[in-house]
Structures are given as C-alpha cells and as structure tokens.
Amino acid sequence: MTESITDIVTMDKIVALCKRRGFIFRSSEIYGGVASTYDYGHYGVLLKNNVKAEWWRAMLQERDDVVALDAAIIMHPRTWEASGHLAGFTDPLVDCRTCKQRFRADDLQSASCPRKPSKHPGEYAECDLTDAREFNLMFETTVGPVREAGSSVYLRPETAQGIFVNFKNVLQFSRRRPPFGIAQVGKAFRNEITPGNFVFRTREFEQMELEYFVPPDDADRWFEHWLGARRRWYTDLGIRSDHVRLREHGPDELSHYSRATSDIEYLFPIGWSELEGIANRGDYDLMRHAEFSGEKLEYVDSSTGERYVPHVIEPSAGADRSALAFLVDAYDEEEVEGERRTVLRLHPRLAPVKVAVLPLVRRDGQPELAREVYERLRTVVQAEYDEGGSIGRRYRRQDEIGTPWALTIDGQSVDDRTVTVRDRDSLAQERVAIDALAEELRRRLEAPWRTPKAQAGTSQADPTAA
Ligand code: ATP
C-alpha cells in the first residue's frame, strides 16, 4: 500500500537532493563557492545529457527539415553590434548606498531589502538608492596577450547568433529550402544582476535553440506550430500538463527584434516562470547581419529565380532550466509500508540510470550472475551494479536518483535464469527471463509514459495564487 504524503516540492528539497545524490554542487565549493554558479556531478551530467538528447531527437530524428550546428562561443565582435546586444542587451541597475547591494531597477518588487527583509529596496527609511543605470549583461574579454583597441571580444550571451552568421554556409551545403531549421545546443553567458533560485538563473548556462527559416507569408502559421510542438515536448516527457502553460508577451514586453513572443512557463516552487521563449523574429537578424557584413543573406530559388529574406521562428530553451523543471515535476515523497521514501518519478528516457542490477545477497553465485546481467545490459542502456548494504537501502538509493527499474537477482535466478524487475513507481515486481531483458528494457523505454503524480493528483499548489 502506498500513500502520497507530500504534494509540495520546495526548492530547498531539490537543492538538498541534488547535493546528497551528486546531481549538482556549488561551484568551487572548497573556496566558498561562486555566486550562482554550479557544477554538475555524475547523475546531473547524465540527466542534462538526456534532456539535450531528447531535444536533439525531437529536432533531428523526428523531423527531416532541421540540421545541426555547433558554433564557437567567441564570435567576431561585430556580431554583437549587428544583433543589437552591444547597445541594447542591458538591464537597469540601481545601487543602494546604505547597504552596498545592487538590484534590478525593473524588478524591485521581487527583491528584499537586506536590512529589513520585510520591505523592498527603497521602501525602508534608511534605503538610499542611486538612479538607474543601464548595465550590459555580456561578459567581455580580450583575445591576444595585450589589451588594446580591437582586442575586445564577448562570451556569447545566446547561441542564436552563431546560427544566423552561418545561414549562408548551411544553405549552401545542406541543400535546404525554407521552411528549414538550424539547431544548436551550447553554453551561453550572461552577467545577470540578480541571479538565483539554484540553476534557474545562473551566469553560465546551456541553451537549446532552433532558428526556423520560413517564407515570410508563412511565419504566423509556423509560429503557432512551434508553440504547440514545444509545449508537447515537455508534456510528452512527463511534465504534468496543468503545470505548464503558454503566456503571450504584451506589446510593451516584446524585444526589439520580435513581432510576437510567447513563453512556455512552468509552475516552479517560485511560481510560474519562463522555461522557454518562442519568438517570431521576422527578418531582423538576417537583414542586420547582411547590413553589417556586406554578405547577401537570402534564399534564391534556382528554378524560379524568386529571392527573399526568410523570416525566423525561434524556440529558445534552457537545458539547465528544463532539467530543473523535470526534477521538480518528478520529485515525490510517500509512505511505503510504514517507511518514508523520496522518489524521482522521471520519465524513463530522462532518468540518469535506466536499470540497477542488485544481487539479493553477496553469496550463492548471486553476485557473479548479477555482474553477468549488468555487463550485458550496460551495452544497451545506462546501468548500475550495486551489491552494498541491505536491499531496501539499495532500492531507496535508486528511487532517489529516479532509476525506473531495479533487477533483483535471487536464489531462483541462479536456478532458472530469471530476475525480478521492480518498478520504481508502482513497486510491482515481475519475473523476466535474463535473455529477454534487453528487449524488454528497449520496449519499455519507447513506450508512452505518464507520470503517476498526474493520476494521483499530487499537484503543487500555485504559490502565486490568491
Ligand atoms: P529571463 O526572462 O528568465 O531572463 P530571457 O527571456 O532573457 O529569460 P531568453 O533570452 O529567451 O531568456 O533565453 C532562452 C532560454 O534560455 C530561457 O527560456 C531560459 O530557459 C534560458 N536562460 C536564459 N537566461 C538564463 C540564465 N541566466 N540561467 C539559466 N537559463 C537561462
């Protein structure tokens, strides 16, 4: 009998689990850490890799109109003049002369005064705020041994521009015609004024961006298409559908390049927040890079002679933020036969480890058979072998890292070469022949999956609701 006892996930619980199980650590912890910078440990790497692999799969394998790109992080500095980042990628910043803290002037309502946390900056009698100044979020560095005129470069604040500057190369070598897309996953850097909330907002993060080039008249239709497709990506990977929503930007929120933008938002413990932005960028980027580089960036139809500058639909997601949303959505606690367990109900394809192989006891030929099973399965999926401690403790450990299936090798296994397969969520045990395991795991990984949290209705309360 299992009973769900918790339906509220807090960021603190996620941070604690990530540390306890080696998903994510504070960066440079032995030196006291670096603010809002994190390192991914073994299971964190596997989880984030799976998120990125699922994104690539949706872009490259399940479609035939998208090609891949991996552009350099340091680009020609003119890129950022053309894109508008040098002049406009800024946040308004205010300093408090009393407490020496720095805040985003447009977001004082979500900051608290360090001297009087019940008040917002500027509201406490002793607050002494400066006027707002525009602060560029790009990290600047130099190429070459000396800092001189013309040696300044920037760590890219988004991966998108690497795609636009390669438009001509890709068009030429991939033999594509609009509609087609160029997809990229990679690091981006932003000197955020107020980072925080664990890996939700960091200064170094990974983006998963698609620039989808379309004939201008088709832009609205493709914008709608990508809104649906991208929302479905999250729910197909297990996110509860009442925890993800689309929010359209109002005219005053739109970026300088955007004709329309909608965010996919997730109900994080901090409230509804952006997971991914989907923008109709029109022809802004290709026109600007054409103007600044002198290269023609357009599509020419060789049979009709028709030429035009394609419009761009951009679904832009964060790998770290998505991984965090998947963790939050998967986190569960329940009482099982009088014992409390924490379990990550991750979609099996996202789970860092797919299968754990556990001999019941450390004798009677069980460890040898378990190792044989493990060595066979690890060629097929990410598998783990564990013989240390009681079987109950080993199950709990696998539950906490979200391993969907645990195989137990017992006395009967040695006699008839079958194992029990324990399901992480239902706790059901099923006997399967060792020779059929690889095929059975493949089948289960490909099967549609729905989180039991949705069925149980263990919804997180909306902390922003009245
Ligand atoms: P926000 O409003 O949260 O600052 P944004 O609108 O500036 O985000 P975009 O420029 O649209 O973000 O970037 C696309 C995606 O990249 C975001 O939806 C998010 O998932 C991710 N992202 C952006 N900034 C950060 C950051 N500082 N840390 C982690 N992920 C980020």
Side-chain angles (χ1 to χ4, degrees):
M1 227 347 248
T2 67
E3 184 199 345
S4 197
I5 54 169
T6 305
D7 55 19
I8 301 284
V9 188
T10 64
M11 206 65 113
D12 286 347
K13 285 184 184 178
I14 297 292
V15 174
L17 175 76
C18 283
K19 168 135 205 215
R20 185 164 75 243
R21 291 299 175 197
F23 279 82
I24 301 172
F25 310 110
R26 280 174 74 203
S27 174
S28 318
E29 203 167 15
I30 60 167
Y31 290 107
V34 183
S36 297
T37 311
Y38 293 91
D39 297 342
Y40 284 75
H42 182 64
Y43 296 125
V45 170
L46 292 174
L47 171 66
K48 192 153 64 127
N49 275 351
N50 291 341
V51 170
K52 291 183 282 184
E54 287 302 321
W55 189 87
W56 278 123
R57 169 171 149 135
M59 292 301 161
L60 300 182
Q61 214 173 313
E62 292 172 359
R63 316 181 56 94
D64 54 14
D65 56 357
V66 175
V67 295
L69 180 78
D70 187 0
I73 286 173
I74 293 177
M75 303 178 61
H76 195 289
R78 291 274 283 167
T79 306
W80 309 111
E81 280 176 53
S83 69
H85 282 81
L86 210 50
F89 193 53
T90 55
D91 276 342
L93 166 96
V94 292
D95 289 299
C96 178
R97 294 186 191 93
T98 313
C99 66
K100 312 284 180 228
Q101 297 283 309
R102 195 158 269 188
F103 307 99
R104 262 176 73 162
D106 58 349
D107 201 21
L108 292 177
Q109 284 309 307
S110 41
S112 33
C113 168
R115 293 188 161 225
K116 182 103 173 148
S118 61
K119 302 240 180 213
H120 301 300
E123 290 178 357
Y124 184 43
E126 291 178 30
C127 294
D128 183 10
L129 300 185
T130 62
D131 288 341
R133 291 179 287 136
E134 289 299 324
F135 172 76
N136 197 297
L137 301 183
M138 285 200 292
F139 280 100
E140 190 175 346
T141 185
T142 40
V143 283
V146 272
R147 184 180 276 272
E148 57 194 2
S151 66
S152 274
V153 291
Y154 302 91
L155 303 186
R156 67 181 175 198
E158 60 175 32
T159 58
Q161 300 305 323
I163 296 179
F164 296 127
V165 301
N166 275 294
F167 173 77
K168 203 172 162 187
N169 281 336
V170 175
L171 197 59
Q172 214 166 349
F173 295 107
S174 67
R175 294 181 298 127
R176 301 279 159 174
R177 53 174 302 163
F180 80 99
I182 306 177
Q184 171 161 228
V185 173
K187 283 247 162 136
F189 303 81
R190 294 182 188 178
N191 202 357
E192 304 270 9
I193 299 168
T194 48
N197 290 315
F198 199 36
V199 294
F200 178 83
R201 186 182 303 286
T202 51
R203 296 201 167 97
E204 173 177 345
F205 55 96
E206 276 186 284
Q207 287 190 314
M208 308 185 288
E209 293 198 299
L210 170 71
E211 305 304 328
Y212 195 74
F213 301 92
V214 300
D217 289 346
D218 295 347
D220 293 342
R221 192 166 62 79
W222 280 109
F223 180 65
E224 291 302 319
H225 165 87
W226 282 108
L227 292 184
R230 291 304 304 150
R231 187 185 187 282
R232 224 166 21 251
W233 184 79
Y234 293 100
T235 52
D236 283 353
L237 286 171
I239 297 253
R240 288 162 292 174
S241 56
D242 57 351
H243 278 56
V244 57
R245 72 177 187 193
L246 286 169
R247 189 185 66 82
E248 202 178 325
H249 281 208
D252 52 331
E253 260 184 292
L254 289 178
S255 314
H256 58 281
Y257 54 75
S258 176
R259 301 182 167 211
T261 298
S262 283
D263 288 344
I264 298 180
E265 295 188 330
Y266 176 72
L267 183 52
F268 284 97
I270 51 173
W272 286 102
S273 313
E274 177 180 335
L275 200 48
E276 168 162 351
I278 299 167
N280 176 350
R281 301 178 72 116
D283 59 6
Y284 177 82
D285 304 275
L286 291 181
M287 294 289 269
R288 291 281 289 186
H289 286 298
E291 181 190 335
F292 279 69
S293 67
E295 291 277 349
K296 273 211 168 75
L297 300 178
E298 58 184 13
Y299 170 70
V300 184
D301 188 318
S302 53
S303 51
T304 63
E306 183 199 11
R307 57 176 64 217
Y308 61 87
V309 177
H311 284 206
V312 174
I313 309 302
E314 175 194 73
S316 170
D320 309 82
R321 222 178 255 189
S322 300
L324 180 63
F326 287 121
L327 279 171
V328 166
D329 213 72
Y331 185 97
D332 208 357
E333 291 175 11
E334 65 178 2
E335 192 107 5
V336 183
E337 286 157 2
E339 243 193 84
R340 202 187 169 96
R341 74 163 180 158
T342 300
V343 52
L344 284 186
R345 303 188 191 280
L346 287 166
H347 189 295
R349 289 212 304 269
L350 293 180
V353 175
K354 311 301 180 202
V355 66
V357 184
L358 317 171
L360 192 58
V361 292
R362 255 198 272 187
R363 52 172 201 278
D364 304 335
Q366 291 181 23
E368 292 77 5
L369 181 59
R371 276 215 79 89
E372 179 198 319
V373 171
Y374 161 67
E375 274 161 31
R376 218 200 270 189
L377 291 182
R378 75 179 181 191
T379 63
V380 183
V381 291
Q382 189 71 37
E384 204 165 275
Y385 175 80
D386 187 5
E387 60 174 32
S390 76
I391 191 75
R393 267 191 56 194
R394 283 180 276 159
Y395 283 150
R396 298 289 166 272
R397 193 174 161 272
Q398 295 299 332
D399 289 342
E400 284 210 346
I401 62 168
T403 305
W405 304 294
L407 309 185
T408 316
I409 313 293
D410 55 14
Q412 187 182 333
S413 310
V414 180
D415 293 338
D416 68 3
R417 293 185 67 83
T418 62
V419 302
T420 58
V421 182
R422 171 191 180 268
D423 183 275
R424 174 195 69 201
D425 298 320
S426 68
L427 299 176
Q429 307 236 12
E430 198 184 323
R431 276 206 103 83
V432 177
I434 288 173
D435 286 342
L437 279 174
E439 202 38 52
E440 175 64 14
L441 288 176
R442 269 200 209 101
R443 188 189 64 75
R444 290 186 183 205
L445 279 169
E446 286 306 316
W449 184 88
R450 197 162 164 241
T451 173
K453 280 177 81 173
Q455 285 132 39
T458 54
S459 284
Q460 168 152 339
D462 180 352
T464 56

